[in-house]
Amino acid sequence: MKSPNPMEVELKLALAPTGPAALTQHPYLASHAERKQTLTNTYFDTPQSDLAKAHIALRLRQVDGQVLQTVKTAGQGGGGLSQREEWEWQVAGPQLDLASIAKLPPFQGELSGVLDALAPQLSTDFTRRSWQLKEGRQGQESHIELVLDEGEIISGGYRTPIREAELELKGGEPEALWALALTLAEQVPLRPSDSSKAARGNALSTQHWPLPEAHSPAEWLHRATLALDAYHDSQQASFLNDAQQALATLAEHRELDATARAYAQAMPGALDADGQPNAAYGKAALALAHRLAYQTTLRSN
C-alpha cells in the first residue's frame, strides 16, 4: 500500500472532440515516449450511496494483468486543480480487500459499518496514453505524468464519453502543472474540469447534477465549470445556460482586477453552440483559474 498519508495533486482538463488528436500531435510531446494501456475500472458503493455522499471513491482497476484497489477522498481546489488523499495497492483478484480498506482513515468513523454492503455501482473503461515529463525550470525540478483518457462511463443504464487529460504532479511544485497546461492550451482545445470520473458516474446514475451557490470569483468559475461538466454528461440545455450565466456574472464581478477581468470576459464567447471550448477558452480559463487558485483552500494547506 502507498504511504499512510498520500496526497494526489492533479489538474484535470476536458477536451473538445478534436482535442485528443491535437494533444498527441503537440510538439512538446514529440521527444517523450508514449505508453498505451487499456484500463477496466469498477467502482463500488452501498445501495444507499454512502461513499458518494461522503465524496469517497473506491475502485478496482484491471491493467497490465494486475488488479489495483484504490480509495480517493474528496478533492480541494477548483479550476481543474485538485488535491486529495489517495491510497492504492495491488490485490490478488477482482474482489475487494475489505480488511485493508477497514484500516484506512476514511473508514474509521461512520463508514466502518458499511463495508459488507459494498457492491459494484458503475464502470469506466478507457484507453490511456501517458507521458512522463521531467524538466527543470527556474532552478526547480518537476515530474508530471500527463495522461490522455478516451472511453466511456457506464452507470445506471446510461453512458457518457470520457475524453480528458490529467496532469498529475509526481514531483515538484503545482506551478509546473499550470505552466504545462498553458503550454498545451496554445494548440489544444480544452477546458478545466472539476468532476472526477466517479462523481460523473454517480450523477449519471441518479440523473442529478446539483450546482453549488457562488459568491466569490473562484466560486463562480467553479459553478461554470461544473455546469459545463453537467451539460456534456446530461445533454440538458439548461446546464449550458447555467454555465453561460455563471461566466457572465464572473466577467462583471467587482472583486476581479483588470487582468483577471480580461481573462473572464474572453471566456463566454470562446465556447461554441455545443458548449465546446476553442483554444482561446482554454488559455483564458486556465490563466484565470491559476490566478484565483491562490484564494482557494488548496493554496493554504
Side-chain angles (χ1 to χ4, degrees):
M1 192 181 300
K2 286 186 178 179
S3 59
N5 294 296
M7 196 65 68
E8 176 190 67
V9 180
E10 71 174 18
L11 187 59
K12 184 184 292 291
L13 305 169
L15 304 182
T18 58
L23 178 61
T24 57
Q25 295 166 12
H26 197 287
Y28 185 83
L29 300 181
S31 60
H32 294 86
E34 173 189 326
R35 183 183 186 187
K36 189 172 184 179
Q37 301 168 291
T38 299
L39 282 66
T40 301
N41 309 273
T42 302
Y43 287 79
F44 293 76
D45 204 341
T46 67
Q48 294 75 34
S49 301
D50 290 287
L51 299 194
K53 292 173 184 176
H55 303 289
I56 292 172
L58 168 62
R59 76 168 182 236
L60 288 179
R61 166 171 289 174
Q62 298 185 45
V63 57
D64 296 336
Q66 298 180 333
V67 180
L68 302 176
Q69 182 166 274
T70 308
V71 174
K72 295 187 180 188
T73 62
Q76 294 180 330
L81 187 68
S82 68
Q83 176 174 286
R84 57 185 175 180
E85 290 181 301
E86 177 187 23
W87 297 265
E88 184 173 84
W89 65 100
Q90 186 175 347
V91 293
Q95 291 82 35
L96 290 175
D97 174 10
L98 295 177
S100 294
I101 294 173
K103 298 175 183 178
L104 298 179
F107 294 92
Q108 298 304 301
E110 293 182 3
L111 291 180
S112 62
V114 308
L115 296 182
D116 290 339
L118 294 172
Q121 301 297 332
L122 65 99
S123 64
T124 63
D125 300 329
F126 52 89
T127 298
R128 166 166 289 181
R129 284 177 277 182
S130 60
W131 297 262
Q132 302 299 321
L133 310 176
K134 299 179 181 180
E135 64 177 67
R137 291 189 180 185
Q138 298 179 344
Q140 292 187 336
E141 295 292 327
S142 67
H143 176 194
I144 297 172
E145 181 180 46
L146 167 63
V147 305
L148 168 61
D149 293 341
E150 295 181 90
E152 65 178 353
I153 299 171
I154 306 169
S155 182
Y158 300 95
R159 296 171 180 259
T160 192
I162 296 171
R163 189 173 57 244
E164 65 184 29
E166 294 179 353
L167 284 59
E168 182 175 351
L169 190 67
K170 298 294 187 179
E173 297 296 322
E175 283 299 315
L177 295 178
W178 294 110
L180 175 57
L182 286 165
T183 296
L184 298 176
E186 291 289 337
Q187 299 184 31
V188 181
L190 53 78
R191 62 176 179 83
S193 173
D194 286 340
S195 302
S196 69
K197 295 180 182 70
R200 292 174 61 192
N202 290 328
L204 193 67
S205 177
T206 60
Q207 292 288 286
H208 181 55
W209 290 266
L211 298 179
E213 294 294 322
H215 302 284
S216 69
E219 290 171 343
W220 280 111
L221 178 60
H222 181 52
R223 180 180 171 89
T225 302
L226 287 179
L228 286 172
D229 292 342
Y231 170 67
H232 289 294
D233 284 345
S234 70
Q235 291 300 301
Q236 296 179 19
S238 61
F239 285 117
L240 182 55
N241 292 333
D242 287 331
Q244 290 285 13
Q245 290 173 5
L247 291 174
T249 301
L250 173 62
E252 301 302 322
H253 203 287
R254 58 183 177 81
E255 294 181 15
L256 293 180
D257 59 27
T259 301
R261 190 177 307 280
Y263 294 142
Q265 290 178 342
M267 292 166 63
L271 289 173
D272 67 19
D274 294 322
Q276 295 291 356
N278 60 25
Y281 185 94
K283 290 187 290 184
L286 285 167
L288 180 59
H290 181 207
R291 202 171 183 86
L292 297 178
Y294 290 93
Q295 304 170 18
T296 70
T297 55
L298 178 63
R299 292 291 176 173
S300 62
N301 284 345

